[in-house]
Amino acid sequence: MTPLYREFDHGELAREYSPSSCVDDLAAELAAYTDRSRAAYAALEVRTDLPYGAGPPELIDFFPAARPGAPLHVFVHGGYWQELDKTDSAFAAPDFTALGTAYAAVGYGLAPGWPLDAIVAQVRRAVHWLLDHAEDLGADPHRVQLSGSSAGAHLAAMALLGPASPRGRRVADAVLLSGVYDLEPITLTYVNDALGLDPAAARRNSPLLLLADHPPAEPLPPLLLAVGEHETGEFARQQEEFAAAARKAGVPVEAVVVAGRNHFDLPLDLGRPDTPLGAAVTARLAP
């Protein structure tokens, strides 16, 4: 049988791009996001539904730090561009605000209601809005750290590869978890049922290919790329290839495989300095 993609047939490729194939209870993994986020909203000061654009989903929830001029951590959620919400994305806010770092959870439209080109544009607008309004929010516009998980890592990478904000500001640091950086295999799986990507759309929305085809005019910020030990080989390969392309473009890159973590519990460590990932993330926020 001729492989569908690389060495994979259709079923194998679907499993490789099904993170749930590596966990025992997907519902419990996702419930951790919701439950911890609900606790964050109940316990912390928060400014909800800050609009960064005209579309209904173009909203940000912002958790301020106790002191002005704090660094800002911006999180873009995953869900294969078709699930989850900013209200599921506040789980790390207590950890960051306890360390004196403001936190923002980005909302965006979901497929199939929104095409991927529009979703990418939304996340870019969100990042630009936060960069240009950081001072108004009490944060330091020169110490903005952008992160994303899974599809959120893809969207964060696309934001990094886009233009600077209207004020010419750029993200200082980025953390990309379990990202998909080449969308060609996605077009061959069940994930594309909602996205409806053709080859051209997949190519123009692939950060790995953008780095090769259109190297950024401005240097990208230092990158921390992480994937869990308990993830499929394709997520590890995607990280390795994106790390290599970024290094070739002159970007400082730290790429790690985090022991004991899977695709879903890895983001829960983001703001926890008592974990290997959290220690690396929070160290990058230090002055």
Side-chain angles (χ1 to χ4, degrees):
M1 180 182 295
T2 303
L4 177 67
Y5 178 80
R6 295 181 180 253
E7 72 272 27
F8 303 113
D9 64 25
H10 189 273
E12 291 166 339
L13 189 65
R15 282 192 296 275
E16 285 292 311
Y17 284 94
S18 296
S20 59
S21 66
C22 296
V23 300
D24 294 328
D25 189 342
L26 176 60
E29 300 283 351
L30 297 179
Y33 298 158
T34 302
D35 293 345
R36 295 190 188 194
S37 294
R38 186 179 296 119
Y41 284 104
L44 301 177
E45 177 186 354
V46 57
R47 297 178 62 183
T48 59
D49 294 340
L50 299 176
Y52 65 82
E58 297 183 35
L59 301 168
I60 291 167
D61 288 352
F62 179 78
F63 298 79
R67 297 182 179 179
L72 168 61
H73 185 94
V74 179
F75 180 72
V76 184
H77 70 80
Y80 263 156
W81 306 278
Q82 55 194 288
E83 294 182 272
L84 302 179
D85 183 67
K86 64 180 175 62
T87 57
D88 303 304
S89 307
F91 50 80
D95 298 319
F96 280 105
T97 56
L99 296 170
T101 297
Y103 183 87
V106 174
Y108 56 85
L110 300 177
W114 295 84
L116 186 57
D117 288 301
I119 296 170
V120 167
Q122 287 173 349
V123 173
R124 283 176 174 161
R125 280 197 294 276
V127 173
H128 289 174
W129 189 91
L130 285 163
L131 287 166
D132 290 343
H133 291 82
E135 288 166 297
D136 301 331
L137 295 168
D140 184 348
H142 304 293
R143 299 173 66 195
V144 174
Q145 182 181 63
L146 176 64
S147 77
S149 175
S150 192
H154 162 269
L155 293 168
M158 291 295 290
L160 295 174
L161 288 163
S165 79
R167 295 189 189 178
R169 290 173 173 168
R170 291 186 175 273
V171 169
D173 184 69
V175 180
L176 307 179
L177 309 179
S178 308
V180 180
Y181 307 108
D182 177 3
L183 299 189
E184 180 187 357
I186 292 294
T187 67
L188 305 173
T189 72
Y190 68 97
V191 181
N192 203 40
D193 293 346
L195 294 175
L197 295 174
D198 61 23
R203 186 170 189 86
R204 68 176 173 265
N205 285 295
S206 290
L208 177 64
L209 304 181
L210 288 180
L211 268 178
D213 295 347
H214 305 286
E218 298 280 343
L220 295 186
L223 300 178
L224 171 59
L225 308 180
V227 67
E229 176 188 10
H230 304 302
E231 300 205 46
T232 68
E234 275 295 277
F235 280 96
R237 180 191 66 80
Q238 289 256 1
Q239 173 166 297
E240 290 170 1
E241 294 197 3
F242 187 68
R247 290 187 181 111
K248 187 175 180 180
V251 181
V253 177
E254 179 182 2
V256 297
V257 177
V258 182
R261 292 294 184 262
N262 63 51
H263 189 91
F264 302 99
D265 62 10
L266 182 61
L268 300 177
D269 289 350
L270 271 170
R272 294 181 52 200
D274 61 334
T275 67
L277 175 63
V281 170
T282 56
R284 297 163 78 93
L285 286 166

